[in-house]
Amino acid sequence: MHLKRIIFLVLLTLHYFTYSLVAQTNTISKKEINDLTNQASHYLKVADFTKSLEVSKIALNRALFSKDYLSTTISYNTIAANYAELAQFDKAILYYNKAMVYASKINNDTLTNKINNNLGNIYCFEKKQYLKGIRYYENTIKYSEKIADSSQIFMTKLNIAWAYFDVGQFKEGYPNLEYVNKYKEKFGNESNISAVNMLNGMYFSHKNDKVKASSYFLSAIKLGIKTNQKSDLSYAHLEYSKHLSKIGEYKNAYENLTRYNQITDELYNKEKLEKANIAGMNIELDEYRRQIDKFAIEKEANLKIVEKSKIIVLLFIVIVIVLLFLLYTLIKNNNFKKKSNKELSSANKQLIIAKEKAEESTKLKSQFVSTISHELRTPLYGVVGITDILIDENKDLANNPYLKSLKFSAKYLLSLVNDILQMNKIEDNKIILEDFTFNIADEIDMVKDSLKFLAQNNNNEVILNIDPAIPEYLIGDKLRLSQIIVNLVGNALKFTKNGEVAVHVRLLKIEGTSCSLEFKIVDNGIGIAKEDQKKIFEKFVQVGRKETDYQGTGLGLSIVKQLVGLFNSNVSVESAIDVGTEFKFIIAFEYNPSKTLELINNIRVNVSENKAINVLVVEDNLINQLVTKKTIEKNNYKCSVVDNGYAALELLDKETFDIILMDINMPMINGFETTKKIRSKGIITPIIALTAFDKSEITEDSLAAGINDIIIKPFDSEKLFNIITELTTEKLEVV
């Protein structure tokens, strides 16, 4: 009975403290949290990073406890902004991304807009990752347009222009500066007008207009001093210093550079940064002190209670016994944990070894994919190119069904190879569907012709049933659709002998500009067991076959599933053993007669046909030399071919060319090094990388070398001529 009373007193005491704690936390109001977030923002504006971080962390803890996601987003954004000012950019990115997560939970486009802009600033101006930074700016413009925030669009285009100018890409950045100049009176203020003047100064300095450049820079500095915007003022002095140095006013340039350093030192003096960096530690120390004070007060109160009451003393003794028991339990558990940790440590080492092996395997796989991509695309370039040459030089073969099927199959094989080699891109939805005008009956008929040999091999008949109600012309990615049909029909033909494979295309409905079609591929072959039907869409899975039967990789249906998914649809299967199989899917294409007519009318005709353009092709592969030379000369261009970079350099010393087509993977000296040597000679002739490498693999190296554009082999000759026309026109404008 006595023990029950003691337990009751302990529980009552715990209940009291718990109730007090809950009562205290529940008193946190949204107004208090808002006041804290506003206070933190104020400290940030006045560059008191220490106080801003301290107040932000208090606001963040209270916002998270109250599930106030709006204040949570604002607090994370403020903390990130502090770290950005302190040049701790990795921490800033971390907290901006956390802010983005909470902004998405409340669908707050305004905050999402600002966070994207802040991330764009860091990646462009601090990380120097301009492509990534500009993507964030583009997201900012998208959200700004969504919420009709014209002021933010103005600021974002200002930042994009600044980013391009910062790397010397004035042509790319100038449209944004034009927009900013147009709307600066409407959306600008004294603060950002200083930056606008600085950008105009940079542009006119690039254009060698000394008077305008100096005028704009001085206006930027004057406004920066007036508004006390030290960051923009410092950049105005820096860019003005560069301009002065460029025009030979070195003394004035030095004075402006000195002023830039002085302002930067004021903004980021060492003492201020050190105080801010220990702000988080000071907050934690304060928390520990409060806990110690609390325990000291409780201890003093307990001593007074012990003196006044024997019951309390007895309770204290019981508690001590319990604590001793807990201590014993903790010691015992600690020993157990040590043993477990030792085992976990051993297992962790094995996991690390396995992880390193997996990473090495992934690296080797990536290298293999890159190499095989180049090796496969190179001969395919020859196949596609020579097929085109045969058709061009033998007009009587233009309508030859075998040659047409060969050309179609070669293009399909190229697309299939690209998709297999870039399976990760398909799974990450990085493939973008393209818009072409096409006739569904023609595309299906082309598929039938390309699979004629496979059908005859198994004595099968391919039957087409195209709904006549389907509009004559639709808009969509006909190549991806052909891949789907080829895979499904080809699969059906392999598993059917002496039978039929039918392709049914039925019009479901037309709503506005959307035309929904139902596709069915039906065969009367061996069928698929019910238990295997869920497996067939997995990669490298083949069912219902013996080791010597049916060729294939097991990738066809997996690719079909992912390609159908790109059309926002699903593929289903119904099958029975020895009865047959039916695959079905629905795709909505665009039906827009006016747009179709526009696409047909916009098929570009190469207007540079009569221009005397002199082209130099640098290519080591003999077949590729033949194909490229024939393609160039077909457009009435003059073409010279060399098989290595040194020969190109030697020829350029003797002859002038309007455009250079540069292979990348060549012996002796590759395309990048050849381009660098060409640029070092002061030759500004546009250079196009004509390569079998994936574009994403060589973009950075190409820009660094001085290459103007990239086109992947096999290429569309019309696209090549359009790029040549554009680059040669730009060259003439510059001259």
Side-chain angles (χ1 to χ4, degrees):
M1 185 69 180
H2 189 62
L3 181 59
K4 287 182 179 179
R5 289 179 180 175
I6 294 172
I7 294 173
F8 173 77
L9 286 172
V10 172
L11 292 174
L12 184 63
T13 303
L14 289 173
H15 174 74
Y16 170 77
F17 283 115
T18 304
Y19 176 82
S20 298
L21 181 60
V22 171
Q24 183 181 3
T25 54
N26 284 337
T27 60
I28 300 174
S29 67
K30 284 193 175 182
K31 183 179 182 306
E32 289 175 326
I33 299 174
N34 289 339
D35 289 342
L36 286 169
T37 56
N38 291 335
Q39 190 179 5
S41 298
H42 168 73
Y43 284 132
L44 174 61
K45 288 179 181 178
V46 298
D48 193 341
F49 308 123
T50 303
K51 288 185 178 179
S52 182
L53 281 171
E54 290 175 352
V55 176
S56 292
K57 288 184 180 179
I58 294 171
L60 176 62
N61 290 334
R62 295 187 179 184
L64 286 171
F65 183 83
S66 303
K67 295 185 179 179
D68 183 352
Y69 292 152
L70 176 61
S71 297
T72 300
T73 305
I74 295 171
S75 296
Y76 273 131
N77 187 64
T78 304
I79 291 171
N82 273 280
Y83 281 123
E85 291 294 329
L86 294 169
Q88 297 187 28
F89 303 114
D90 290 332
K91 285 188 179 180
I93 291 171
L94 172 67
Y95 284 107
Y96 276 136
N97 285 327
K98 288 186 177 182
M100 190 83 77
V101 170
Y102 282 95
S104 65
K105 288 185 178 181
I106 56 176
N107 295 320
N108 192 307
D109 292 334
T110 301
L111 284 173
T112 303
N113 183 13
K114 291 181 179 179
I115 296 165
N116 273 290
N117 185 71
N118 294 339
L119 284 167
N121 290 339
I122 289 180
Y123 279 110
C124 280
F125 299 109
E126 310 302 342
K127 289 289 189 177
K128 304 301 180 185
Q129 297 178 20
Y130 292 95
L131 293 177
K132 191 169 185 179
I134 288 172
R135 282 200 297 270
Y136 278 110
Y137 284 144
E138 290 171 348
N139 287 337
T140 301
I141 292 175
K142 180 182 71 176
Y143 282 106
S144 297
E145 291 173 345
K146 183 177 179 182
I147 62 178
D149 189 348
S150 300
S151 296
Q152 185 59 54
I153 294 175
F154 175 83
M155 282 303 302
T156 304
K157 285 189 176 288
L158 187 151
N159 287 335
I160 294 174
W162 197 340
Y164 278 121
F165 286 6
D166 205 34
V167 291
Q169 295 185 11
F170 289 91
K171 180 182 176 184
E172 290 79 0
Y174 183 67
N176 295 283
L177 180 59
E178 279 189 312
Y179 178 92
V180 169
N181 283 329
K182 182 178 179 181
Y183 293 104
K184 64 182 179 181
E185 299 297 331
K186 187 173 183 180
F187 302 117
N189 54 50
E190 287 187 337
S191 172
N192 51 43
I193 292 299
S194 174
V196 173
N197 284 331
M198 182 195 72
L199 291 178
N200 277 293
M202 293 171 69
Y203 179 75
F204 283 107
S205 177
H206 166 70
K207 287 291 187 178
N208 294 318
D209 190 332
K210 302 177 183 178
V211 176
K212 284 188 178 181
S214 296
S215 175
Y216 275 116
F217 279 128
L218 290 172
S219 296
I221 292 170
K222 183 178 179 181
L223 280 173
I225 294 171
K226 179 181 177 182
T227 58
N228 199 29
Q229 292 290 328
K230 292 188 177 181
S231 179
D232 287 344
L233 178 60
S234 67
Y235 285 118
H237 278 294
L238 177 62
E239 295 301 333
Y240 188 34
S241 173
K242 293 178 183 177
H243 169 68
L244 291 169
S245 179
K246 178 181 177 182
I247 63 176
E249 296 185 18
Y250 300 111
K251 181 180 179 181
N252 201 359
Y254 176 76
E255 291 173 354
N256 277 271
L257 183 60
T258 302
R259 184 58 185 145
Y260 163 75
N261 290 328
Q262 289 172 348
I263 297 171
T264 305
D265 289 341
E266 290 174 13
L267 285 172
Y268 304 107
N269 66 76
K270 184 177 181 182
E271 182 180 354
K272 183 188 290 186
L273 295 178
E274 288 178 351
K275 286 182 179 179
N277 285 332
I278 64 173
M281 186 182 298
N282 288 337
I283 294 171
E284 293 180 9
L285 289 174
D286 288 341
E287 288 294 322
Y288 289 137
R289 290 192 192 101
R290 282 193 287 270
Q291 290 293 329
I292 292 171
D293 291 341
K294 180 181 177 182
F295 289 137
I297 293 169
E298 289 178 354
K299 181 180 178 181
E300 184 178 350
N302 287 334
L303 288 173
K304 290 179 180 179
I305 293 171
V306 168
E307 292 174 356
K308 294 179 179 179
S309 173
K310 292 182 179 180
I311 296 176
I312 299 299
V313 171
L314 182 60
L315 177 61
F316 178 75
I317 294 171
V318 171
I319 291 173
V320 170
I321 293 171
V322 172
L323 289 174
L324 288 173
F325 175 74
L326 289 174
L327 182 61
Y328 168 75
T329 305
L330 286 172
I331 293 172
K332 188 174 180 180
N333 287 340
N334 188 51
N335 292 333
F336 176 75
K337 284 182 180 179
K338 285 182 179 179
K339 182 179 179 181
S340 299
N341 286 340
K342 187 176 180 180
E343 294 174 355
L344 286 172
S345 178
S346 176
N348 189 45
K349 288 179 181 178
Q350 294 177 359
L351 286 173
I352 291 172
I353 294 172
K355 177 176 175 288
E356 290 174 350
K357 289 181 178 179
E359 289 174 348
E360 180 66 21
S361 176
T362 301
K363 182 178 179 181
L364 291 173
K365 177 186 173 184
S366 299
Q367 292 174 348
F368 170 76
V369 168
S370 176
T371 302
I372 203 68
S373 171
H374 182 273
E375 294 302 322
L376 286 172
R377 282 175 175 151
T378 298
L380 279 173
Y381 175 52
V383 173
V384 174
I386 290 174
T387 304
D388 288 334
I389 291 171
L390 283 173
I391 293 175
D392 289 339
E393 294 184 354
N394 301 272
K395 299 300 182 182
D396 55 327
L397 296 177
N399 295 318
N400 186 294
Y402 300 107
L403 200 57
K404 287 172 68 178
S405 295
L406 173 63
K407 183 176 180 180
F408 175 82
S409 297
K411 288 187 175 180
Y412 161 72
L413 178 59
L414 172 64
S415 178
L416 180 61
V417 166
N418 286 339
D419 285 345
I420 293 174
L421 294 175
Q422 301 182 47
M423 185 65 73
N424 289 335
K425 288 188 177 181
I426 301 177
E427 292 172 350
D428 292 339
N429 295 320
K430 292 182 179 178
I431 289 182
I432 299 174
L433 297 179
E434 299 184 35
D435 285 343
F436 300 100
T437 297
F438 68 96
N439 178 280
I440 194 71
D442 290 344
E443 294 303 316
I444 302 297
D445 195 56
M446 187 72 73
V447 171
K448 178 182 177 181
D449 288 342
S450 69
L451 295 173
K452 186 180 295 183
F453 176 78
L454 182 58
Q456 293 173 350
N457 194 42
N458 283 348
N459 195 27
N460 291 322
E461 181 182 1
V462 179
I463 300 172
L464 304 183
N465 182 11
I466 312 298
D467 190 344
I470 297 174
E472 182 179 5
Y473 290 107
L474 297 173
I475 299 172
D477 197 327
K478 63 180 181 179
L479 184 58
R480 303 296 177 192
L481 175 64
S482 297
Q483 284 183 252
I484 296 170
I485 302 297
V486 166
N487 271 300
L488 291 175
V489 175
N491 201 58
L493 290 171
K494 284 193 294 183
F495 292 92
T496 303
K497 291 186 178 180
N498 304 314
E500 294 180 351
V501 175
V503 180
H504 303 279
V505 186
R506 181 169 66 94
L507 175 64
L508 292 182
K509 59 181 178 180
I510 297 178
E511 290 183 352
T513 59
S514 177
C515 177
S516 297
L517 304 182
E518 179 188 69
F519 296 82
K520 288 184 181 179
I521 289 80
V522 185
D523 66 65
N524 55 2
I526 64 174
I528 306 169
K530 191 169 184 178
E531 62 271 17
D532 291 330
Q533 290 177 17
K534 292 183 179 179
K535 305 176 186 176
I536 58 174
F537 294 109
E538 297 176 9
K539 289 183 287 187
F540 308 111
V541 170
Q542 296 171 315
V543 298
R545 53 165 281 178
K546 299 176 183 177
E547 290 184 1
T548 57
D549 293 339
Y550 314 117
Q551 299 299 314
T553 62
L555 279 173
L557 292 180
S558 175
I559 292 175
V560 165
K561 181 180 179 181
Q562 296 184 71
L563 290 176
V564 171
L566 292 176
F567 288 97
N568 297 317
S569 184
N570 295 300
V571 58
S572 61
V573 60
E574 293 182 6
S575 184
I577 297 296
D578 296 328
V579 175
T581 303
E582 174 187 294
F583 288 93
K584 182 173 71 174
F585 59 92
I586 297 171
I587 293 179
F589 294 102
E590 185 177 358
Y591 172 56
N592 189 336
S594 60
K595 184 176 178 181
T596 299
L597 183 61
E598 182 182 346
L599 288 172
I600 294 173
N601 291 335
N602 285 340
I603 295 176
R604 302 179 84 181
V605 178
N606 185 19
V607 297
S608 64
E609 201 169 293
N610 296 323
K611 292 183 180 178
I613 293 179
N614 193 7
V615 182
L616 173 61
V617 176
V618 187
E619 167 69 66
D620 65 306
N621 185 287
L622 294 176
I623 295 177
N624 290 351
Q625 288 178 1
L626 171 65
V627 172
T628 305
K629 185 176 175 61
K630 285 282 187 180
T631 303
I632 296 298
E633 291 178 342
K634 182 181 70 176
N635 205 51
N636 297 326
Y637 291 172
K638 182 181 177 183
C639 182
S640 300
V641 180
V642 293
D643 59 5
N644 66 78
Y646 291 116
L649 291 166
E650 183 178 345
L651 183 58
L652 285 167
D653 287 334
K654 303 174 183 176
E655 187 175 349
T656 301
F657 293 89
D658 298 298
I659 200 81
I660 301 172
L661 304 184
M662 180 72 65
D663 188 22
I664 297 300
N665 192 20
M666 296 186 295
M668 294 191 290
I669 179 172
N670 63 35
F672 297 134
E673 293 301 321
T674 303
T675 302
K676 289 178 182 178
K677 290 183 179 295
I678 291 173
R679 296 303 186 217
S680 69
K681 289 175 174 286
I683 297 173
I684 62 171
T685 302
I687 299 176
I688 302 173
L690 195 63
T691 178
F693 284 110
D694 191 82
K695 189 172 183 178
S696 61
E697 296 178 16
I698 64 169
T699 298
E700 289 189 11
D701 290 336
S702 297
L703 289 173
I707 291 173
N708 299 84
D709 211 329
I710 302 169
I711 189 166
I712 306 301
K713 295 185 291 192
F715 57 82
D716 181 1
S717 59
E718 182 181 350
K719 181 178 179 182
L720 174 63
F721 292 134
N722 286 338
I723 293 174
I724 290 175
T725 301
E726 181 180 347
L727 289 176
T728 53
T729 303
E730 288 177 4
K731 181 185 175 185
L732 288 173
E733 289 175 356
V734 171
V735 173

